[in-house]
């Protein structure tokens, strides 16, 4: 009887800690394209098209986030203020030089010569790139193996305004850093 209970407990512990929705198969990296944009930005529709084309070519691997910030994001009337409270901080972090610009996984592509520059202001971005470089940067990263798979499932309780997010991670390779955080 003790063996049966011990076996049942061991099986239950393994079952409770098993991966439920994240893949355990090694995968390549996904892409988050953060596009800095605004309602009055003349070239931003072309940036949106490039981002959408990139997503359409890789629908399960490319995710788009538009960040309204800067002078092009000034409201044009009632209901047009799409600015976010953190947009200017993200733009500063990226070294943004002009619009539209975007970051691909917030990676610095200086070695590839893809970072955004402005000769008139002397600005050289750290992670921000002009729209013409997004596809090349994304295609490069899509071929890189990811050392960890991350899965998220979320639910919203509208009655209490509560968002619940379940996160699973599964390491498929070795890490180059000593600690990880979500």
């Amino acid at each position: 009887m003790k063996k049966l209970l011990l076996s049942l407990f061991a099986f239950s512990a393994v079952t409770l800690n098993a991966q439920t929705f994240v893949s355990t198969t090694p995968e390549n990296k996904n892409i988050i394209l953060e596009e800095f944009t605004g309602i009055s930005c003349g070239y931003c529709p072309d940036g949106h098209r490039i981002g959408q084309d990139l997503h359409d070519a890789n629908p399960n691997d490319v995710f788009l986030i538009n960040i309204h910030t800067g002078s092009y994001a000034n409201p044009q009337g009632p209901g047009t203020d799409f600015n976010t409270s953190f947009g200017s901080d993200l733009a500063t972090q990226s070294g943004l030089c002009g619009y539209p610009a975007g970051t691909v996984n917030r990676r610095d592509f200086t070695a590839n010569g893809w970072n955004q520059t402005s000769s008139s202001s002397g600005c050289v971005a750290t992670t921000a790139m002009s729209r013409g470089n997004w596809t090349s940067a994304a295609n490069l990263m899509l071929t890189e193996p990811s050392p960890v798979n991350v899965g998220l499932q979320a639910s919203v309780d509208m009655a209490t305004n509560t968002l619940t997010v379940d996160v699973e991670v599964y390491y498929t390779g070795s890490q180059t850093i000593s600690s990880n955080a979500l």
Side-chain angles (χ1 to χ4, degrees), residues 35-46 48 67-77 80-83 98-100:
E35 182 183 346
F36 298 100
T37 185
I39 197 166
S40 300
C41 173
Y43 292 102
C44 286
D46 187 49
H48 301 328
I67 301 166
H68 287 252
T69 188
S71 61
Y72 288 117
N74 290 336
Q76 301 298 304
T80 62
D81 189 356
F82 304 116
N83 284 294
Y99 294 82

Side-chain angles (χ1 to χ4, degrees), residues 21-65:
F21 57 85
V22 71
S23 172
T24 58
T25 304
E27 298 180 23
N28 286 346
K29 292 181 179 178
N30 288 336
I31 301 301
I32 303 278
L33 172 61
E34 293 173 300
E35 182 183 346
F36 298 100
T37 185
I39 197 166
S40 300
C41 173
Y43 292 102
C44 286
D46 187 49
H48 301 328
R49 180 194 55 78
I50 291 168
Q52 190 63 52
D53 288 349
L54 187 57
H55 172 270
D56 291 348
N58 306 278
N60 296 317
D61 298 322
V62 174
F63 304 90
L64 308 174
I65 299 173

Side-chain angles (χ1 to χ4, degrees), residues 23-170:
S23 172
T24 58
T25 304
E27 298 180 23
N28 286 346
K29 292 181 179 178
N30 288 336
I31 301 301
I32 303 278
L33 172 61
E34 293 173 300
E35 182 183 346
F36 298 100
T37 185
I39 197 166
S40 300
C41 173
Y43 292 102
C44 286
D46 187 49
H48 301 328
R49 180 194 55 78
I50 291 168
Q52 190 63 52
D53 288 349
L54 187 57
H55 172 270
D56 291 348
N58 306 278
N60 296 317
D61 298 322
V62 174
F63 304 90
L64 308 174
I65 299 173
N66 288 348
I67 301 166
H68 287 252
T69 188
S71 61
Y72 288 117
N74 290 336
Q76 301 298 304
T80 62
D81 189 356
F82 304 116
N83 284 294
T84 61
S85 59
F86 53 85
S88 64
D89 291 339
L90 292 174
T92 299
Q93 178 188 38
S94 74
L96 180 67
C97 294
Y99 294 82
T103 66
V104 174
N105 290 5
R106 296 187 183 171
R107 180 184 279 183
D108 185 345
F109 286 96
T110 302
N112 302 79
W114 295 337
N115 291 65
Q116 190 181 39
T117 60
S118 171
S119 55
S120 61
S121 68
C123 176
V124 178
T126 52
T127 60
M129 293 179 286
S130 298
R131 65 191 184 281
N133 294 321
W134 299 346
T135 302
S136 297
N139 287 338
L140 175 69
M141 290 197 74
L142 286 167
T143 65
E144 295 178 359
S146 176
V148 63
N149 295 342
V150 179
L152 302 157
Q153 289 182 337
S155 62
V156 177
D157 182 338
M158 298 303 279
T160 62
N161 281 338
T162 302
L163 171 67
T164 302
V165 181
D166 292 320
V167 180
E168 280 187 9
V169 297
Y170 187 84

